[in-house]
Amino acid sequence: MDNLNPCVKSMEYVLSGPLVTRAAAIEKELEQGAKKPFKEVINAVTGDRQAMGQPPITFTRQVLALVSYPELIKYSNFPDDVKERATFLLTGCSGGSTGSYSEASGVEIVRRRVAEFIEERDGFSSNWQDIILCAGASTGIKAVLKLLDCETSGLKTGVMVPIPHYPLFPAVIAEFNNMQQMNYYLDESNGWAISIKELKRALNDTKGTCKPRALVVVNPGNPTGQVLTKNTIREIINFAYEEGLFLIADEVHQQNIYDNNSEFHSFKKVLMEMGLPYSKMELASFMSSSKGYMGECGMRGGYAEVINLQSGVKAMYLKSISANLCSTVLGQIAMDCVVKPPEPGGSSYKLFVREKNSILKMLTENAKIAVNAFNSIEGMSCNAVQGAVYAFPQIYLPSNAIETAKQKQMHPDEYYASQLLENAGISIVPGSGFGQKDGTYHFRTTILLPSAKLKAMLQILRKFHEDFLKKQQ
């Protein structure tokens, strides 16, 4: 430990923290016959859809099957459009095989299709050479932040990160030696909105301690579930332009919108609508095949669109990426199925639409079920889940519970989560792992559980919470 990289020691990632480890241990104890106040551990931590029981999209899996074993194209009774897609994609793979390396940036024909998807989504052109296929959004985000890992006039690079945040960003920032996290707080009293006043406050409070160079925005929000309005996005872009900040837009949940009054607007689209000089700003935006309705987390498919880099910087960016060889080719093909789903009239179209709509309908219902339940429990409140796949309720803890947590050297919401796990078998993530305003306590729970199981979990949680409050009075 004495000569270990200090950045690795300081890095934290709550989604694989001690409570998650304890939940796995309890599951094994139950398998071995241990007596608990519950029969199973309900995992409300992960955003892994298929781990929660969601079936994969048939079209995607059939294409993946054929490209993995091309002999099936000749002999299987798979739909014609699946065979056509697999045959086409294999022409873009070296040696006609998904077992070969692709270019470090990804298979060209898939990158071109991603650009077409973005053009159709936004109504503005997209250069396929600005597209990098990556292992989920995570490696793409890390590759972009890596470009900024340097001192400027003796100061570390400052990266503005929303609080609450997705834990990937603090983990990556901590891993780099010359970066400093700059926290800006989302406004819980206003549906987790982003205010320019707060962005300016965060910037002013860190003057002299770092050189602010990047602004991270997560839309739809994780863990908070808000969807930014177009006007707010315009204000953020204007702020970033005035302050000379590189915009980093995590948009992986863009297909998860549940509120009828909310609409996803990409930062790229709004940037282009605003025209010069904003349309020439540096922007990196990210998408993943793990989210949306797809849930192909294990395939590790994603893309980054990085625009307006100086030519020399772009060359360095591509050089840096090339050291990782390439993302998994099957993940790239999963991404192709996301950006180019079955077309109307195709053999797979009707089944695809039925599967997609069924998944999104369940998530829309689950978002309302979870929020209504939390707001009906004494000592809890929760903003509407407009998008993404999580709820982030606030819990109001008695002073006795807060004192007990301090004695155990735990955050109060961490103590609450540990008691919920040990006594009710529900595994959640404490809000302290995402950041939160001092004196407030939260937890994150997924809405991916099948509706019946989500309702059952919420009933168990209600009873635990009521008992917990009584004991802590």
Side-chain angles (χ1 to χ4, degrees):
M1 289 294 288
D2 291 341
N3 56 14
L4 180 67
N5 181 345
C7 294
V8 174
K9 287 194 281 188
S10 65
M11 173 184 163
E12 294 182 2
Y13 192 67
V14 69
L15 300 183
S16 57
L19 286 177
V20 176
T21 303
R22 176 59 185 149
I26 291 175
E27 285 183 323
K28 289 185 178 180
E29 291 173 11
L30 287 170
E31 289 172 4
Q32 295 166 2
K35 299 297 181 184
K36 302 282 183 183
F38 45 87
K39 294 181 179 179
E40 65 171 337
V41 173
I42 300 176
N43 181 351
V45 169
T46 181
D48 187 342
R49 288 146 177 74
Q50 292 182 33
M52 292 294 189
Q54 176 183 307
I57 296 295
T58 302
F59 176 78
T60 303
R61 282 305 177 88
Q62 288 180 335
V63 171
L64 289 168
L66 295 191
V67 297
S68 299
Y69 189 57
E71 286 296 306
L72 288 173
I73 297 173
K74 301 176 186 176
Y75 304 113
S76 73
N77 61 352
F78 282 12
D80 290 342
D81 56 354
V82 171
K83 292 182 178 183
E84 290 168 6
R85 177 67 62 90
T87 301
F88 175 72
L89 288 168
L90 287 170
T91 65
C93 299
S94 299
S97 172
T98 55
S100 61
Y101 289 124
S102 73
E103 292 181 43
S105 301
V107 174
E108 180 179 325
I109 58 177
V110 179
R111 293 167 68 198
R112 286 182 179 274
R113 294 247 269 243
V114 170
E116 291 170 5
F117 164 80
I118 293 170
E119 287 182 1
E120 186 176 341
R121 182 194 68 189
D122 295 344
F124 293 94
S125 64
S126 175
N127 183 351
W128 69 271
Q129 292 176 310
D130 289 337
I131 307 298
I132 304 297
L133 300 178
C134 38
S138 306
T139 59
I141 290 168
K142 190 170 183 177
V144 169
L145 284 172
K146 189 176 183 180
L147 298 177
L148 305 173
D149 183 32
C150 68
E151 285 191 356
T152 305
S153 302
L155 295 175
K156 291 184 176 183
T157 289
V159 180
M160 301 186 72
V161 175
I163 300 294
H165 54 58
Y166 177 51
L168 170 73
F169 290 102
V172 172
I173 290 168
E175 200 174 347
F176 290 132
N177 190 50
N178 293 303
M179 280 194 174
Q180 179 176 318
Q181 181 175 321
M182 303 165 62
N183 295 334
Y184 68 90
Y185 289 87
L186 305 178
D187 185 356
E188 185 171 11
S189 65
N190 191 25
W192 298 113
I194 297 176
S195 79
I196 302 306
K197 181 179 178 182
E198 170 59 15
L199 290 176
K200 290 179 178 178
R201 192 277 314 159
L203 206 65
N204 291 332
D205 284 1
T206 51
K207 271 187 178 177
T209 66
C210 64
K211 170 63 177 173
R213 295 186 60 200
L215 170 61
V216 172
V217 184
V218 183
N219 180 45
N222 176 4
T224 44
Q226 85 283 12
V227 178
L228 297 180
T229 65
K230 182 181 280 192
N231 187 56
T232 297
I233 294 173
R234 286 196 198 99
E235 290 177 345
I236 293 168
I237 290 170
N238 185 64
F239 169 80
Y241 174 77
E242 290 178 349
E243 300 297 339
L245 300 174
F246 192 124
L247 269 170
I248 297 174
D250 178 342
E251 299 175 334
V252 299
H253 287 105
Q254 61 188 258
Q255 293 177 325
N256 296 104
I257 308 295
Y258 314 124
D259 179 48
N260 291 332
N261 297 316
S262 299
E263 182 181 355
F264 171 76
H265 301 281
S266 76
F267 269 77
K268 165 81 175 294
K269 177 183 178 180
V270 179
L271 199 81
M272 292 302 167
E273 286 178 345
M274 291 173 71
L276 292 172
Y278 307 101
S279 57
K280 293 298 182 182
M281 290 174 63
E282 293 166 318
L283 167 70
S285 55
F286 304 90
M287 174 65 166
S288 170
S289 62
S290 303
K291 313 305 179 186
Y293 58 86
M294 304 79 67
E296 290 291 358
C297 298
M299 289 295 168
R300 307 308 300 132
Y303 76 70
E305 183 185 30
V306 186
I307 63 171
N308 296 328
L309 289 184
Q310 192 182 70
S311 60
V313 173
K314 186 171 183 178
M316 294 296 104
Y317 171 53
L318 296 175
K319 179 182 74 171
S320 175
I321 287 168
S322 68
N324 295 322
L325 300 180
C326 69
S327 60
T328 163
V329 174
L330 287 180
Q332 296 181 40
I333 287 172
M335 200 68 238
D336 183 85
C337 294
V338 172
V339 299
K340 189 73 172 177
E343 296 180 347
S347 311
S348 302
Y349 181 72
K350 287 183 179 179
L351 176 60
F352 166 76
V353 170
R354 188 163 66 246
E355 290 176 337
K356 174 184 175 181
N357 289 346
S358 174
I359 291 166
L360 293 177
K361 181 183 178 184
M362 183 200 77
L363 292 175
T364 300
E365 292 172 352
N366 281 3
K368 293 175 182 174
I369 289 168
V371 171
N372 289 340
F374 292 132
N375 284 325
S376 71
I377 298 174
E378 181 187 356
M380 282 194 192
S381 66
C382 187
N383 281 324
V385 177
Q386 298 172 317
V389 293
Y390 307 102
F392 198 64
Q394 183 171 173
I395 46 177
Y396 305 92
L397 299 175
S399 56
N400 285 348
I402 296 170
E403 185 57 36
T404 301
K406 288 179 181 177
Q407 292 171 4
K408 294 179 177 292
Q409 296 184 319
M410 301 172 77
H411 291 286
D413 45 24
E414 182 186 9
Y415 171 64
Y416 178 90
S418 70
Q419 292 299 300
L420 178 62
L421 175 61
E422 297 290 348
N423 294 287
I426 297 176
S427 179
I428 55 172
V429 192
S432 49
F434 300 91
Q436 56 196 346
K437 280 193 172 181
D438 289 344
T440 68
Y441 310 108
H442 301 77
F443 65 83
R444 191 189 80 170
T445 179
T446 182
I447 62 167
L448 290 171
L449 290 162
S451 296
K453 192 161 190 175
L454 177 65
K455 290 176 182 177
M457 183 200 81
L458 292 168
Q459 283 297 105
I460 296 169
L461 176 59
R462 179 189 297 274
K463 185 177 186 310
F464 164 82
H465 186 78
E466 289 171 352
D467 292 344
F468 181 84
L469 292 183
K470 289 176 184 176
K471 291 175 183 177
Q472 296 295 333
Q473 291 297 338

